[in-house]
Amino acid sequence: MLNIALPKGRLGDQVYELLDSVGYACRDIYLDNRQLVFANEQTGVRYFLVKPSDVAIYVEHGAADVGIVGKDILLENRADVYELLDLLLGKCRVCVAGPQNYREDMERRLRVATKFVNIAKGYYASVNREIEIIKLNGSIELAPILGLSDVIVDIVESGKTLRENNLQVLTEIVPISARFIANKAAYKFKNTEIEPMLTKLAAKIKSGGLE
Ligand code: PRP
């Protein structure tokens, strides 16, 4: 069996549809229950439903052979896995954002709220700006509104969350999309299973994906 770590949520649903469309169906996944493991002996796949930010951990440690994870998580956690394919799904950007009338005071250390500590540190190091990181786990947009930080480094997809909180993109740091990753040992020892999946996914994406 090929063990696949799927991120729970909308991205996972889209990726599952993509895998289903190239022959890796597992109908039980549509059961509306709290089950986290779904297997299909016929197609030889076992899906694990995993918190999106944990996918690379399962794959790096070999608990899953392959997985689907956002590039943001890969950049932030620097997981030791093979990144095999850009699935061109879950597209968004990691950005610096701040209040609409924001003017940066270059005399002061910049206070940056984010859950992407490494991405933020890397970006500000590259532009030689001294910062203080305020690590948050969600609702990052609240930080500049409440004066907890000057700016945020966060995911922007549609831009709706920023708009509705009177914030704006100040700088785009990096574009993000979902990646197909593999455990390094599994890529070697389960290559006869992983390669066909990779080839089929690549062909499907090249022909326009699910559109
Ligand atoms: C993410 C991100 C933004 C929002 C961006 O939050 O942190 O808040 O999506 O999407 P938009 O540009 O389409 O509005 P998520 O929903 O993952 O929740 P979080 O607050 O826990 O980070």
Side-chain angles (χ1 to χ4, degrees):
M1 297 290 265
L2 196 62
N3 296 310
I4 306 170
L6 263 189
K8 275 198 258 184
R10 205 164 63 89
L11 175 63
D13 295 346
Q14 285 179 319
V15 172
Y16 171 73
E17 269 184 58
L18 196 67
L19 283 159
D20 183 347
S21 74
V22 295
Y24 299 98
C26 185
R27 299 280 163 214
D28 288 354
I29 219 162
Y30 291 121
L31 293 176
D32 189 17
N33 62 18
R34 302 285 294 168
Q35 215 176 309
L36 297 172
V37 181
F38 298 92
N40 183 342
E41 301 283 341
Q42 274 85 51
T43 51
V45 284
R46 188 191 287 126
Y47 289 101
F48 305 142
L49 300 188
V50 168
K51 193 174 153 87
S53 52
D54 288 341
V55 166
I57 300 173
Y58 284 85
V59 174
E60 180 172 3
H61 292 271
D65 302 310
V66 295
I68 291 86
V69 62
K71 181 71 179 174
D72 51 330
I73 311 287
L74 289 179
L75 289 172
E76 182 61 24
N77 300 337
R78 301 180 190 129
D80 188 21
V81 296
Y82 289 133
E83 186 183 319
L84 298 176
L85 183 66
D86 185 347
L87 298 174
L88 306 178
L89 290 171
K91 285 191 187 173
C92 53
R93 308 165 279 155
V94 176
C95 295
V96 179
Q100 257 151 20
N101 54 0
Y102 181 69
R103 289 282 170 275
E104 187 169 333
D105 179 355
M106 298 306 283
E107 304 296 309
R108 279 185 39 234
R109 201 151 65 130
L110 189 68
R111 295 170 306 152
V112 182
T114 189
K115 56 183 164 193
F116 298 107
V117 171
N118 292 324
I119 295 177
K121 280 185 179 165
Y123 167 69
Y124 282 106
S126 78
V127 294
N128 265 317
R129 181 72 165 104
E130 210 190 324
I131 59 163
E132 175 193 344
I133 292 273
I134 296 151
K135 164 91 165 84
L136 294 176
N137 298 298
S139 300
I140 317 291
E141 292 82 0
L142 264 178
I145 295 172
L146 301 181
L148 176 63
S149 75
D150 301 307
V151 296
I152 62 173
V153 167
D154 200 16
I155 293 287
V156 179
E157 193 178 349
S158 65
K160 190 165 185 271
T161 311
L162 289 184
R163 272 195 308 279
E164 295 193 352
N165 290 288
N166 300 316
L167 302 173
Q168 63 172 339
V169 171
L170 300 172
T171 312
E172 184 174 323
I173 299 179
V174 62
I176 299 297
S177 55
R179 307 299 159 99
F180 182 70
I181 60 170
N183 172 270
K184 289 189 167 175
Y187 186 65
K188 209 169 180 181
F189 297 112
K190 290 193 171 179
N191 200 268
T192 49
E193 291 158 73
I194 295 175
E195 271 304 327
M197 179 178 275
L198 183 62
T199 309
K200 286 179 206 164
L201 279 174
K204 181 77 186 180
I205 289 159
K206 211 170 168 198
S207 70
L210 290 170
E211 290 147 28

